[in-house]
Amino acid sequence: MKTLLLSLLLLLNCTALAQSDYSKLDVNFGLGTNLYQGQFQPTWNLQAELHLNARWSLLYNYNIGSLDDSNHYLHAPMSLFAVGPVTRFLTQNTYTIGDFFGSLAVGMLTALIPEGIAYHYPLAYRYDLSAYANPLGLAYVFTDIFLLDKAVRYNTNIGCKLTYYSRFGLLANVHTQLNYMGSYGFYPSAGFGLGYAFGHSNLGSSE
């Protein structure tokens, strides 16, 4: 258990030191819309994007949205849904205090497994174009906001995003994507976001 925990910590440390041309970690808040069966419905998004290098990044997406007036959902990476079951399984099979806390830490670190991956192309100075896929997502769907009818559905998407990085680390982006949600099928969505590039570099003059 100690070896597994140490390996995970080393992996996370190496990942945190990686960076793209403009950022190490992007965090942005967004507003968008779903188009489902001819209806436009709003979505509110929070995304974290951890850059491995100038071309590749890992994605973490959290959003609240609606498909129509009676179907609403909360989306998150599968890893977040897995924290409880993984932690419970590991702690039930420990025999010492050290193993217990190690199992607890590994269970919590499960949430750091990314939902998707993106490939980046430098379109112009400070402009980044990326194509992405998020295959490891789930949605908690409730058909009545007061009854909170439990229904977990597989929720994935592919899309593209254009991001502008300012010299001060602020960023703005627009995106469009094709979504799939369990028994609800395919539907498109689009939106925009504002955020900050942590560990930003190369954002000064282009000269």
Side-chain angles (χ1 to χ4, degrees):
M1 180 58 65
K2 293 180 180 179
T3 302
L4 177 60
L5 182 58
L6 180 60
S7 299
L8 284 171
L9 290 175
L10 288 174
L11 175 62
L12 292 172
N13 184 59
C14 291
T15 303
L17 292 175
Q19 65 176 0
S20 70
D21 285 345
Y22 295 121
S23 173
K24 294 180 181 179
L25 173 67
D26 295 348
V27 176
N28 61 84
F29 300 90
L31 177 64
T33 182
N34 293 323
L35 176 57
Y36 182 75
Q37 296 185 344
Q39 296 186 43
F40 288 98
Q41 293 290 334
T43 64
W44 293 268
N45 312 302
L46 170 63
Q47 183 187 68
E49 184 167 8
L50 182 62
H51 293 272
L52 302 177
N53 51 48
R55 295 294 186 181
W56 297 96
S57 63
L58 303 178
L59 304 177
Y60 301 82
N61 302 287
Y62 307 87
N63 57 71
I64 299 173
S66 300
L67 297 177
D68 53 38
D69 293 337
S70 59
N71 290 286
H72 315 279
Y73 65 87
L74 172 65
H75 170 95
M78 285 184 183
S79 56
L80 187 63
F81 287 84
V83 169
V86 170
T87 302
R88 183 166 57 252
F89 172 79
L90 292 175
T91 55
Q92 286 176 348
N93 292 275
T94 58
Y95 302 97
T96 68
I97 294 297
D99 286 343
F100 174 82
F101 285 108
S103 298
L104 188 63
V106 172
M108 297 299 291
L109 286 173
T110 302
L112 297 180
I113 297 173
E115 177 184 352
I117 192 167
Y119 178 79
H120 298 262
Y121 178 78
L123 191 63
Y125 180 62
R126 294 188 186 163
Y127 287 89
D128 175 84
L129 181 65
S130 63
Y132 59 85
N134 291 294
L136 301 180
L138 292 175
Y140 182 93
V141 181
F142 44 98
T143 57
D144 189 311
I145 196 170
F146 300 105
L147 296 179
L148 293 178
D149 182 29
K150 294 183 180 180
V152 176
R153 296 285 186 270
Y154 178 58
N155 190 199
T156 183
N157 60 65
I158 58 173
C160 60
K161 180 173 68 174
L162 176 63
T163 302
Y164 171 77
Y165 291 89
S166 77
R167 65 181 302 175
F168 305 108
L170 298 176
L171 62 89
N173 59 62
V174 293
H175 75 271
T176 181
Q177 64 187 37
L178 178 65
N179 310 275
Y180 174 80
M181 184 186 294
S183 58
Y184 295 92
F186 292 91
Y187 58 94
S189 63
F192 67 92
L194 299 173
Y196 188 79
F198 292 91
H200 59 277
S201 60
N202 301 328
L203 298 181
S205 171
S206 61
E207 300 179 357

